[in-house]
Amino acid sequence: MYCLIFFLSFRLSVLELGENPSSSLNMQSVAADTEETMNVEPSTILALAKNALSASKQALALAEDLKLDLDDSLSNSLGSANSSTLPVEEEEAPTVRSTRRLERQSKRRRMPSKFMISDTYSLRKTNVRKKVSGSYDPNDPLRLFLRGPETTQLLTAKEESELIVEVQDLMRLEKLKSNLQSQFGREPTLVEWAEAIGLSCSALQAELHNGNRSREKLVYANFRMVFHVAKQYQGRGMNLQDLLQEGSMGLIKSVEKFKPQVGCRFATYSYWWIRQTITKSIVQHSRTIRLPENAYSLLGKVVKAKRSYIQEGNHCPSKEELATRAGITVQKLDKLLFTTRTPLSMQQPVWTDQDTTFQEVTPDTGIEIPDVSVAKQLMRQHVRNLLRVLSPKERKIIKLRFGIEESKENSLSEIGNIFGLSKERVRQLESRALYKLKQCLVKQGLGAYADLLV
């Protein structure tokens, strides 16, 4: 320890000497004192170390003032001191230290690239973690249920057969209860139900409890298959929650219908029930206007044909190609695509970030625009002014004939009955009145309303 403290004080003293060129100390005197300091008291060594530390601080301040390189001055001072005073064994030590210093410098030069690589990797890892956290909601009850022990633990063939036997016993008890209900005209009591079976009430309750528990365990163990089948029918007009609900109903139905004598596992049998209930629910509830089932089958063929063309590289197949591969005519394909269009709700928002609906931006064709309405009012006023050139009798006949100021157009015989004239005479008066009006059309300027009469 004393040697280490002495060596530190020696280096700091050399630093002071190298930084102050005007110092009168001799390096040889410092080297000669090294042997004497080995036998000095520890307190003296600590005092010398403090003095050396203060000298190093002064040298550092001087180096900053003179803007000199501290490392170069230190190496020069150590080189001169070692070459003049230190023995041969101590001359090798600076070489070793300088080699380490070069190695450390080379490592420092390579450090930034490693840091950059690690930073890039950590950034990518953070982005992936963000994406995963954005798509995965830890509070989603469906995901929590799928990760639970009820759905992750698979059943063996022996456990499955035992559960099915208990479920069949439960179905037998429920069938007997329905028979008693139809016989009594009311729901039977627990005592009546137990007497009909030949069991006690406690034994009947135990049987019912075991049967219900076995059915729930069988349904929960196969619920992941419902999720697997429901994912294949996404994007067909129903969300995933509704598909899972319909698939679960099919799974429960398969539990009631399954018989071990069919020679297959329960999962193989329930798969078709799940798939059937999901497809039927899509046909019934996927569209506002229900389509027949054969339309869905034809549409499935068309979608399959289009998918096959896309896999082959043809991303825009024509209608003739789709009809040929689907096995239908082009006219039938056009009719199918026209009938399977998805209706659009007028209350649906136009933009996702606003509350504006299609009803608010769609014009009403039954209401005239202000320009056309004003033009028609001016035209009616001009027509009334034009009728003033006719006699009162002719004006009345024209108004009754064309329904002016009335909603009904009268025939020639009806007008004749009003005036007590024949049908032919009314026709003659009408023709003469129209001729007078044609003569005045140019003067009144009614040709400007020709676009409104088209």
Side-chain angles (χ1 to χ4, degrees), residues 159-169 218 258 260 266:
E159 293 175 348
E160 185 177 290
S161 61
E162 293 176 355
L163 294 176
I164 290 171
V165 170
E166 294 180 356
V167 170
Q168 286 183 345
D169 294 339
L218 191 61
F258 180 71
F266 173 74

Side-chain angles (χ1 to χ4, degrees), residues 17 29 41 44 73 109 118 179 202 208 215 237 306 316 372 390 398 404:
L17 292 174
S29 62
E41 296 296 329
T44 307
S73 63
R109 284 194 295 269
S118 62
N179 294 334
S202 59
L208 294 175
R215 180 165 56 185
K306 187 174 182 179
C316 297
V372 177
L390 302 176
I398 292 298
I404 299 174

Side-chain angles (χ1 to χ4, degrees), residues 15 63 86 92 222 245 250 258 277 294 338 353 357 388 393 448:
L15 178 62
L86 295 178
E92 297 178 357
N222 292 273
Q245 180 179 353
F258 180 71
T277 53
N294 59 348
F338 180 78
D353 57 343
T357 60
R388 293 177 183 177
K393 191 174 185 178

Side-chain angles (χ1 to χ4, degrees), residues 299-316:
L299 186 62
K301 292 181 181 179
V302 173
V303 172
K304 186 177 180 180
K306 187 174 182 179
R307 189 182 297 114
S308 63
Y309 274 115
I310 292 174
Q311 291 176 356
E312 294 173 2
N314 187 6
H315 294 276
C316 297

Side-chain angles (χ1 to χ4, degrees), residues 24 31 37 47 52 58 78 96 98 221 242 393 422 431 439 441:
S24 61
T37 54
Q58 294 177 1
L78 288 174
V96 175
S98 64
D242 294 338
K393 191 174 185 178
S422 64
S431 300
Q439 295 297 325
L441 283 177

Side-chain angles (χ1 to χ4, degrees), residues 17-70:
L17 292 174
E19 295 297 332
N20 192 1
S22 62
S23 178
S24 61
L25 295 177
N26 192 2
M27 294 298 297
Q28 294 180 356
S29 62
V30 175
D33 294 337
T34 57
E35 296 179 358
E36 296 178 0
T37 54
M38 294 297 294
N39 299 322
V40 182
E41 296 296 329
S43 60
T44 307
I45 294 175
L46 290 176
L48 292 174
K50 291 181 180 180
N51 294 333
L53 182 60
S54 62
S56 65
K57 289 182 180 180
Q58 294 177 1
L60 182 60
L62 182 62
E64 291 179 353
D65 295 337
L66 298 176
K67 297 182 180 179
L68 297 176
D69 190 0
L70 185 60

